[in-house]
Amino acid sequence: MFKSHEIGRDDHWEGIVTNKSRGMLDGSNMYHFVEVRLADGASVKVRISRRLWKSIEVNDRIVKRPGADPARE
């Protein structure tokens, strides 16, 4: 089970991508999501940019630092 999470500018976390998905939640815009397994074992589903979504694969490490967007590590 995972917890859906809206990324805040001051959030910080890192983990392993376990799943990628995308969808047109509002009928007009495509949103890109990844499920990330954090170091403490929790899973979180976060929205990321299309550019990052296209560049990562399952089992890649992704990092979110305070004041920055999530990035592949």
Side-chain angles (χ1 to χ4, degrees), residues 33-56:
F33 300 95
V34 289
E35 244 180 79
V36 179
R37 186 178 62 244
L38 304 176
D40 64 1
S43 289
V44 55
K45 185 175 185 178
V46 294
R47 186 174 148 200
I48 60 172
S49 70
R50 177 178 181 257
R51 185 177 188 182
L52 177 59
W53 190 85
K54 291 180 85 173
S55 72
I56 61 174

Side-chain angles (χ1 to χ4, degrees), residues 25-38:
L25 304 179
D26 61 7
S28 63
N29 295 308
M30 182 67 72
Y31 295 97
H32 298 83
F33 300 95
V34 289
E35 244 180 79
V36 179
R37 186 178 62 244
L38 304 176

Side-chain angles (χ1 to χ4, degrees), residues 15-20 35 37 56-62 72-73:
I16 305 294
V17 175
T18 58
N19 190 25
K20 293 172 48 175
E35 244 180 79
R37 186 178 62 244
I56 61 174
E57 296 297 327
V58 172
N59 293 325
D60 285 348
R61 180 171 294 279
I62 188 171
R72 183 176 178 195
E73 186 173 75

Side-chain angles (χ1 to χ4, degrees), residues 10-21:
D10 294 330
D11 288 354
H12 60 281
W13 46 260
E14 67 179 82
I16 305 294
V17 175
T18 58
N19 190 25
K20 293 172 48 175
S21 62

